[in-house]
Amino acid sequence: MPSDKIDFVPFSVPSIGKEEENAVLNVLRSGWLTTGKITLEFEKMFAEKLGAKFALAVNSATSGLILAMEALGITKGTKILTTPYTFISTATAASHLGAQIEYADIEKDSYSIDSVKIEEKLSKDKNIKVVVPVHIAGNPCNMKEICRIAKKYGVSVLEDCAHAFPSKTKEGFCGTLGDIGVFSFYATKTMTTAEGGMIVTNDEKLASRIKKMRLHGIDRDVWNRYTDKKASWLYDVVEPGFKCNLPDLLSAMGIEQLKKSDLFLKKRISIIKKYNEAFAKHDCFILPPDNEGNAWHLYLLGLNFEKLNCTRDEFASELQKNGLGISMHFIPHYHFSIWEHNDNLLGDLTKADEGFCEKKFPNCEKHFLRTVTLPLWPDMMDEMVQKVIEVVIQTGKKYAN
């Protein structure tokens, strides 16, 4: 099918096959739908893939962040430090625990949190207990430097790996480089369970705490108490925990997706190469940053406004009118109205005195205003890839200076 015959290219479509369908059907027919032996198998496989000692499945990455922060001691009177260039739950997870949020700008030439800014913040604020770097679009942050700084100031490192499976550097997989890593298996991610996530750590104490707190604060595994003749009905609740477990129904899908994850990455990279080769020929475009181990969850196309006479929104609207499903990653947190009635969630910055606005985060704002996220998923047809390339280049020519 010629690319001009394709009316619309979706932003993202999950790559689901017969393997996932059969795995889900097997669980439906098993008589056990919620967390059980299939989830345990999924956790074991995921830990082995990353070389981590512990993997704990949860119902979302947001739940995972809350559990991880709680295990790391985040509570009222403490703070986390993260980037404003991420999905809002990276920050608000801390607010659910009564903590405050501090922010550091991103790097000039990437979407990653700036390690220099991290150290500036940590040197001035002893209430920051956890640094939360975010591997935007699957491109790893400078974890070696971030971990060095965190160790210097005695704070923990929680990796937001929502985009970063399977990102692998010389030091290991993202998620295993800090104290804890949290992954997302949302429908648009590099692998999916429809909804869900995974926490990984090598720290037995942290794993034990998270395991307890993800299911009501119960002191032991109780999933088999309805199916095993020898299972005891007796248990104790030792903490006011949460309800964050991942059902077998979704874990079954995750197991099959995990098996295909290397193939998914190979297919993504093939598409990325075509995008990069095409867009590199035009000086109105800025290619996405690409560090070692990039998982390529998203393709973040930068617009060079020295060569274009339009805004990001005008450019994006033209792409949509011509049949591309696009998105924006991310709206910086200081643009949200949540802070207007929740100033107490912020640390030393407030909306009232323009302390929490674009002026404080020039790199973040620059990237936000010039970035468009293009369609990308493993099973994109060649004709779809070609249509994306053609529409983007045609739009660039339309608005060229």
Side-chain angles (χ1 to χ4, degrees), residues 105-116:
D105 203 359
I106 60 177
E107 296 173 335
K108 182 179 179 181
D109 297 318
S110 87
Y111 300 90
S112 298
I113 190 169
D114 190 333
S115 59
V116 174

Side-chain angles (χ1 to χ4, degrees), residues 13-30 33 38 192-194 248-257 259-260 264 379:
V13 177
S15 298
I16 306 297
K18 289 292 183 181
E19 299 85 356
E20 288 86 352
E21 292 177 10
N22 291 334
V24 169
L25 282 173
N26 287 338
V27 174
L28 285 172
R29 293 164 179 162
S30 72
L33 305 182
I38 301 300
T192 184
T193 57
D248 276 7
L249 196 64
L250 303 185
S251 294
M253 189 171 159
I255 288 172
E256 299 306 321
Q257 289 271 293
K259 292 176 184 176
K260 300 176 181 180
F264 287 163
D379 293 335

Side-chain angles (χ1 to χ4, degrees), residues 221-237:
D221 283 335
V222 292
W223 68 266
N224 66 339
R225 68 187 186 277
Y226 298 114
T227 59
D228 189 338
K229 292 180 180 179
K230 297 180 180 179
S232 171
W233 54 267
L234 186 64
Y235 61 84
D236 190 16
V237 179

Side-chain angles (χ1 to χ4, degrees), residues 82-141:
T82 192
T83 163
Y85 204 92
T86 178
F87 189 62
I88 192 64
S89 64
T90 305
T92 54
S95 72
H96 292 300
L97 299 169
Q100 289 185 314
I101 305 124
E102 293 285 353
Y103 287 100
D105 203 359
I106 60 177
E107 296 173 335
K108 182 179 179 181
D109 297 318
S110 87
Y111 300 90
S112 298
I113 190 169
D114 190 333
S115 59
V116 174
K117 298 294 184 183
I118 289 175
E119 183 152 25
E120 287 178 4
K121 284 281 188 176
L122 292 181
S123 66
K124 298 173 183 177
D125 195 336
K126 304 304 180 184
N127 289 322
I128 297 172
K129 302 300 180 184
V130 178
V131 175
V132 189
V134 185
H135 305 296
I136 300 294
N139 191 43
C141 298

